[in-house]
Amino acid sequence: MSVLQRFSITLIFVVILTGCSSLPDQVIHQTSLITANETSPLYDLTNSYWLDKDIPETSAVLIQDDGWNALAQRLALIETAKYSIDIQYYIWNSDNSGLYLAQRLKAAADRGVKVRVMLDDINLNQRENVLAKLDNHPHIDIRIFNPTPSRDGLSKWLSFVGDFSRLNRRMHNKSFTVDGVLSVVGGRNIGDEYFDLSDEINFRDRDALVMGSAVSEIQTSFAAYWDSRWSYPINLLTDNTSVELSAIPLVKAPHYQHYPPLPQDNESANLFLHALIDKLIPVEATFIYDLPVPVNSSNTDTPKKTAKLLAELGHNAQQQILIESAYLIFDKRQLAALKILIDNDIQIKALTNSMASNDLLANHSGYAGKRHAMLKNGIQLFELKPESELCEVSTKDIDKCVPNVAFGLHAKSAVFDRKIATIGSFNFNLRSTYLNTESVLVINNEQVANTLADHIEQAMQENNSWQLNLENGDIYWRSGTQSWTSDPETGQWERIKSKFIQLLPIEKYL
């Protein structure tokens, strides 16, 4: 070993060791109290919904596919909040929608609403100082899940390598709960691309507005993460709180070309929510979430609670399973279980991104390496076209779609026998199964399940997706009378890179 090599290795260990000493291994919190707010306007609104209903269902939901309604619901809830706003996200971008939502949260805190924000560390992107300043607000608390000890540059990623088994466990959950009575859960992060506002890529995504007993379960989930020993107050991650709140960029409310203005004050928010509330459908619903801290962080071979739940729903299916997932990777064990279902005449259809619509080539390569096995086992595969008509249906603005703006799939849903629907953060891939923490709303209602199934099968139609077939051992992509023998609308270099990545033993980490 050369002197240079020995020096490089020594430097790496020094950086890792010094980085790891900058944070405690865990944080002990006081247990959060979960209380019902039975005097808020939102409580009165939801209570009035149930007064004229003599039904056994204890929850109600409204599925949301388009970006305007998804953003409008969150804004309306903020403007109407009286007591509390509890938020948990994997990504919160500093773009127009992200900054505007942050502004409105601060305005809610200014009027006395208690705001708690829980973010995963992996996408924080050196915004600790700004977040720490917000955290100094008397009514705002911000915590970061499972942070790397070193906060910038090379040392941050070296510390990640130095404690890979722990730091590779990311919090992928998403929830947005106001006054303990209304929640939004599902697949969306916070950012322009999730609300049909981006000029780079917009996503087909999905979440659900929830009220009733399921909201208590969502609150319990939030409290478990908020109080977990991997949850770090933002002020532990930085010594610099000199950023003034006045220096945080102020932005105007996002503008949609062919939608009404978003709710921007209490009056418009109340009007919006009163018109919305009767659209919710009474259901039996359960919110399932993974443990914030695994019993053994080095064990990456045991499926987590959300994965086991979805596997059980699949095992109990009698006729059909429909899957819509941005990323789709099954291992040998899962493929064998799915083949048993198919051999018992259960139809399994799955929609995912094509190489042309996927924003992450590495993630697509993991799926591409499994396509042949999935098709051979009898799974019907569909891949989203970038020019899908679904984009204009959602955005109502061709300028936000191909060829001007890329379009991809980010939704994570499934329907079992058109009776049970699931919406959540869980991608049907190995990272969601074994590594990340996830959450899933399970809706036991035929009306909701049928509606969601229709939406998924519409997305599988030839004007929106390519269907894959296996013929004489080769994969064909088909749309109407057209067919392709390699990933449509992609270049040879993209396909070469994808095949190279497939050679690497990293599919569990994609």
Side-chain angles (χ1 to χ4, degrees):
M1 182 181 295
S2 69
V3 174
L4 179 60
Q5 287 174 317
R6 286 198 297 270
F7 174 79
S8 298
I9 292 174
T10 301
L11 178 62
I12 288 173
F13 277 108
V14 167
V15 172
I16 290 173
L17 291 173
T18 56
C20 288
S21 65
S22 62
L23 280 179
D25 291 336
Q26 61 184 21
V27 180
I28 306 301
H29 305 279
Q30 290 184 342
T31 302
S32 298
L33 296 177
I34 300 175
T35 57
N37 298 305
E38 298 185 357
T39 59
S40 72
L42 286 176
Y43 176 83
D44 293 340
L45 179 64
T46 57
N47 192 47
S48 67
Y49 174 90
W50 297 106
L51 288 178
D52 61 347
K53 293 180 174 62
D54 183 19
I55 51 177
E57 288 79 8
T58 58
S59 297
V61 302
L62 178 64
I63 295 177
Q64 194 49 260
D65 286 347
D66 71 80
W68 184 89
N69 274 291
L71 183 54
Q73 288 172 17
R74 288 166 170 84
L75 287 170
L77 291 175
I78 292 173
E79 300 301 331
T80 317
K82 182 177 180 181
Y83 294 108
S84 65
I85 302 174
D86 290 336
I87 295 174
Q88 181 178 11
Y89 279 103
Y90 179 62
I91 294 173
W92 191 303
N93 289 335
S94 294
D95 51 19
N96 188 220
S97 59
L99 287 172
Y100 187 71
L101 278 163
Q103 282 177 212
R104 301 320 303 159
L105 287 173
K106 180 184 176 297
D110 287 344
R111 64 176 189 265
V113 178
K114 180 64 175 176
V115 177
R116 297 189 295 179
V117 180
M118 181 89 190
L119 300 175
D120 187 76
D121 182 54
I122 201 70
N123 292 291
L124 211 57
N125 298 329
Q126 298 182 342
R127 290 176 289 175
E128 295 91 338
N129 292 339
V130 173
L131 291 172
K133 191 62 181 179
L134 283 169
D135 184 75
N136 282 341
H137 191 292
H139 294 120
I140 298 177
D141 284 329
I142 298 174
R143 292 182 182 175
I144 306 302
F145 184 79
N146 199 12
T148 56
S150 299
R151 302 308 304 158
D152 54 68
L154 177 63
S155 61
K156 178 174 181 177
W157 293 108
L158 288 176
S159 66
F160 187 93
V161 173
D163 194 4
F164 185 73
S165 62
R166 177 176 74 87
L167 294 175
N168 194 36
R169 301 277 188 165
R170 304 320 318 169
M171 183 193 76
H172 198 234
N173 313 47
K174 290 108 176 175
S175 67
F176 193 110
T177 304
V178 177
D179 284 349
V181 294
L182 280 165
S183 293
V184 180
V185 296
R188 281 184 176 87
N189 295 298
I190 301 299
D192 288 353
E193 61 266 40
Y194 307 102
F195 297 121
D196 293 339
L197 287 166
S198 176
D199 291 325
E200 296 180 4
I201 184 170
N202 287 304
F203 288 120
R204 170 180 167 87
D205 216 330
R206 179 174 299 110
D207 45 34
L209 180 65
V210 187
M211 69 180 185
S213 60
V215 177
S216 296
E217 297 170 345
I218 297 167
Q219 281 191 291
T220 300
S221 170
F222 178 87
Y225 282 82
W226 186 257
D227 295 333
S228 78
R229 66 179 188 269
W230 283 5
S231 171
Y232 286 65
I234 186 69
N235 58 23
L236 290 182
L237 308 186
T238 178
D239 295 325
N240 182 7
T241 58
S242 62
V243 177
E244 295 297 328
L245 287 177
S246 60
I248 298 173
L250 296 178
V251 298
K252 294 181 179 179
H255 172 71
Y256 290 81
Q257 190 69 24
H258 300 294
Y259 278 100
L262 292 161
Q264 296 178 41
D265 53 33
N266 185 266
E267 182 180 0
S268 60
N270 271 296
L271 288 172
F272 176 84
L273 290 174
H274 276 83
L276 184 72
I277 202 74
D278 286 333
K279 296 180 182 179
L280 274 74
I281 299 171
V283 299
E284 287 298 326
T286 304
F287 189 74
I288 305 297
Y289 60 94
D290 294 319
L291 290 174
V293 182
V295 175
N296 180 1
S297 63
S298 63
N299 180 1
T300 63
D301 296 321
T302 301
K304 297 180 287 74
K305 185 176 181 179
T306 51
K308 291 178 179 178
L309 161 80
L310 291 164
E312 181 181 356
L313 290 174
H315 177 76
N316 292 333
Q318 300 295 313
Q319 297 175 320
Q320 183 191 62
I321 302 172
L322 294 173
I323 297 171
E324 183 173 15
S325 182
Y327 312 123
L328 186 69
I329 304 175
F330 297 121
D331 59 20
K332 290 181 179 179
R333 179 192 61 79
Q334 292 168 320
L335 284 170
L338 292 171
K339 188 175 189 306
I340 291 173
L341 295 175
I342 292 168
D343 289 344
N344 287 325
D345 296 325
I346 296 171
Q347 181 189 60
I348 301 178
K349 300 168 69 175
L351 169 69
T352 191
N353 275 302
S354 61
M355 183 184 291
S357 70
N358 203 317
D359 63 322
L360 296 171
L361 181 63
N363 289 53
H364 180 80
S365 71
Y367 154 74
K370 297 291 186 180
R371 281 187 300 212
H372 191 281
M374 285 191 276
L375 291 168
K376 185 177 180 181
N377 282 11
I379 299 173
Q380 298 180 43
L381 291 180
F382 300 82
E383 295 181 2
L384 185 74
K385 295 179 178 179
E387 66 275 16
S388 165
E389 295 177 3
L390 297 170
C391 180
E392 192 172 356
V393 170
S394 181
T395 63
K396 296 185 181 179
D397 187 354
I398 191 60
D399 290 336
K400 294 294 185 183
C401 300
V402 171
N404 303 298
V405 179
F407 182 61
L409 178 66
H410 194 260
K412 307 112 173 34
S413 303
V415 181
F416 302 87
D417 291 337
R418 287 181 168 258
K419 294 179 180 178
I420 298 174
T422 64
I423 298 171
S425 67
F426 189 100
N427 285 301
F428 286 76
N429 67 350
L430 304 187
R431 174 164 279 282
S432 286
T433 300
Y434 297 108
L435 293 171
N436 286 350
T437 67
E438 307 287 356
S439 54
V440 177
L441 181 69
V442 182
I443 305 165
N444 193 343
N445 180 275
E446 287 194 30
Q447 180 183 349
V448 172
N450 270 306
T451 299
L452 180 53
D454 288 344
H455 288 179
I456 294 175
E457 292 198 315
Q458 179 191 18
M460 293 174 173
Q461 293 175 3
E462 65 182 47
N463 55 328
N464 296 312
S465 296
W466 294 291
Q467 182 170 7
L468 281 63
N469 298 105
L470 196 61
E471 298 178 16
N472 299 320
D474 296 322
I475 298 175
Y476 288 81
W477 287 254
R478 300 196 182 280
S479 178
T481 59
Q482 295 181 294
S483 66
W484 296 258
T485 56
S486 60
D487 295 84
E489 299 183 19
T490 62
Q492 185 176 12
W493 179 236
E494 291 176 285
R495 297 193 292 272
I496 290 173
K497 287 191 290 184
S498 175
K499 288 181 180 178
F500 172 75
I501 296 171
Q502 290 172 41
L503 300 175
L504 304 176
I506 59 173
E507 63 180 19
K508 186 175 285 187
Y509 308 110
L510 300 174

